[in-house]
């Protein structure tokens, strides 16, 4: 949505190639005013966009004032584009704050109770990686490292292609494992182990192998307890990327680790 003309081109090509696009997803950060949003969405409608998933959550509201989300929803209605609100249930809570500015998760806890964040995974699907793992680790109990389920076997999740992401740098993110990347030109055939040692290690031997690698090569010292295997995996990768500046095409984009 930052480059609507290019998105328009993608929609047209998808249509020509008979690729059905269920929806385009937006966090609404691009919204400036009603007039420009209606102009942009009207053009996209003509290029074949029929449904827009609009993210609605406290995690988005931490960064995006709610007037932008509301503005996009309104502009979709005016442009003949269906809105898929994800998720509508949060709307009244977010709308109870001043919609002209973002609001921190602390503000949500102050207003709706100390267990507000703890209840969210029961209301909304959260992949426990990246920033979500950093949030969940402060809320849910940890387990001793040696008892963490799944660390001693390979991560099959990495080969799951049922839901995947490609970022704007040309990285394919395997298994929704944020911060791990495969270059798009390397998709479609077996990965070269020399080029992708970390992903190969995680896939065939599991997180324990990555931990041993980080310990042996860079003196990584794990904590005694972690939330789950993805939390441990993330901490090791953050250590490699940020603490020892391990240069790797797999740990991309680097800013992902710097801004955790
Ligand atoms: S442990 Fe790492 S590689 Fe395995 S599923 Fe979790 S984030 Fe992905």
């Amino acid at each position: 949505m930052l480059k609507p003309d290019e998105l328009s081109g993608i929609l047209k090509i998808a249509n020509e190639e008979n690729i059905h696009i269920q929806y385009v997803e937006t966090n609404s950060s691009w919204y400036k005013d009603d007039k420009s949003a209606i102009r942009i969405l009207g053009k996209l409608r003509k290029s074949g966009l029929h449904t827009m998933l609009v993210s609605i959550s406290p995690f988005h509201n931490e960064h995006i004032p709610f007037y932008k989300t509301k503005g996009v929803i309104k502009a979709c209605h005016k442009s003949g584009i269906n809105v898929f609100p994800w998720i509508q249930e949060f709307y009244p809570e977010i709308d109870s704050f001043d919609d002209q500015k973002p609001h921190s998760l602390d503000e949500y806890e102050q207003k709706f109770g100390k267990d507000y964040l703890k209840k969210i995974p029961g209301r909304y699907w959260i992949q426990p990686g990246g920033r979500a793992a950093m949030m969940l680790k402060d809320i849910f109990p940890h387990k001793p490292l040696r008892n963490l389920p799944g660390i001693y076997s390979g991560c099959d999740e990495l080969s799951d292609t049922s839901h995947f992401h490609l970022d704007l740098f040309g990285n394919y993110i395997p298994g929704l494992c944020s911060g791990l990347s495969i270059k798009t030109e390397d998709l479609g055939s077996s990965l070269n182990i020399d080029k992708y040692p970390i992903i190969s290690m995680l896939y065939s031997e599991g997180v324990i192998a990555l931990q041993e690698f980080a310990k042996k090569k860079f003196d990584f010292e794990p904590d005694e307890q972690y939330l789950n295997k993805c939390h441990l995996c993330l901490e090791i990768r953050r250590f490699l990327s940020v603490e020892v500046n391990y240069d790797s095409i797999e740990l991309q984009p680097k800013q992902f680790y710097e801004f955790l």
Side-chain angles (χ1 to χ4, degrees):
M1 291 303 295
L2 294 176
K3 295 188 176 178
D5 289 342
E6 294 189 17
L7 176 56
S8 180
I10 291 170
L11 289 163
K12 283 181 190 157
I13 292 167
N15 191 32
E16 283 162 18
E17 298 294 326
N18 287 324
I19 296 170
H20 174 67
I21 295 193
Q22 258 183 311
Y23 55 79
V24 167
E25 184 166 335
T26 185
N27 62 18
S28 305
S29 62
W30 54 274
Y31 175 88
K32 290 194 179 78
D33 53 52
D34 284 358
K35 205 172 154 197
S36 61
I38 292 168
R39 181 173 42 77
I40 289 169
L41 290 169
K43 269 177 96 174
L44 292 173
R45 175 83 189 84
K46 283 189 190 139
S47 304
L49 177 64
H50 57 80
T51 303
M52 180 74 93
L53 183 153
V54 181
S55 296
I56 301 175
S57 85
F59 308 111
H60 290 85
N61 192 224
E62 270 188 290
H63 301 282
I64 298 161
F66 203 44
Y67 81 88
K68 289 181 177 258
T69 312
K70 292 196 271 191
V72 169
I73 292 173
K74 190 170 147 199
C76 282
H77 290 320
K78 292 217 162 163
S79 313
I81 292 174
N82 299 319
V83 174
F84 175 7
W86 189 254
I87 58 174
Q88 183 68 27
E89 186 181 324
F90 288 127
Y91 195 107
E93 288 151 40
I94 303 169
D95 204 28
S96 69
F97 291 99
D98 175 0
D99 70 3
Q100 294 301 304
K101 54 182 189 181
H103 297 279
S104 69
L105 296 176
D106 282 348
E107 287 177 80
Y108 278 86
E109 285 193 318
Q110 278 164 25
K111 190 164 201 174
F112 298 109
K114 269 284 155 213
D115 57 353
Y116 182 77
L117 293 177
K118 198 170 183 178
K119 285 183 179 161
I120 283 189
R123 308 171 61 193
Y124 179 63
W125 179 71
I126 295 184
Q127 171 73 6
R131 199 161 65 95
M134 302 311 269
M135 179 202 74
L136 296 172
K137 82 176 169 55
D138 295 330
I139 300 173
F140 289 99
H142 290 198
K143 294 188 185 76
L145 193 151
R146 66 183 177 286
N147 295 341
L148 281 178
I151 61 168
Y152 299 101
S153 50
C155 287
D156 289 343
E157 295 92 328
L158 289 164
S159 61
D160 182 2
T161 54
S162 62
H163 183 155
F164 61 85
H165 293 126
L166 291 164
D167 74 15
L168 73 168
F169 306 111
N171 296 312
Y172 169 87
I173 298 148
L176 304 185
C177 303
S178 330
L180 285 174
S181 300
I182 296 171
K183 289 281 157 212
T184 45
E185 60 267 24
D186 292 329
L187 296 175
S189 55
S190 298
L191 287 188
N192 179 328
I193 294 180
D194 294 331
K195 191 169 177 187
Y196 293 98
I198 291 178
I199 291 173
S200 302
M201 201 184 299
L202 286 166
Y203 182 67
S204 54
E205 299 169 75
V207 190
I208 198 72
L210 180 63
Q211 188 208 304
E212 280 159 11
F213 164 80
K215 188 173 174 62
K216 195 168 155 195
K217 290 261 186 198
F218 303 105
D219 292 328
F220 172 75
E221 279 302 331
D223 291 339
E224 286 181 7
Q225 302 197 327
Y226 288 91
L227 178 68
N228 54 30
K229 69 171 185 174
C230 299
H231 177 209
L232 170 62
C233 180
L234 181 69
E235 291 289 9
I236 302 168
R237 291 186 276 117
R238 193 198 61 77
F239 169 84
L240 291 173
S241 179
V242 177
E243 308 282 328
V244 297
N245 216 8
Y246 180 73
D247 192 22
S248 161
I249 58 161
E250 299 171 276
L251 303 183
Q252 295 296 332
K254 196 164 170 57
Q255 290 83 354
F256 166 82
Y257 295 99
E258 290 170 353
F259 288 101
L260 268 177

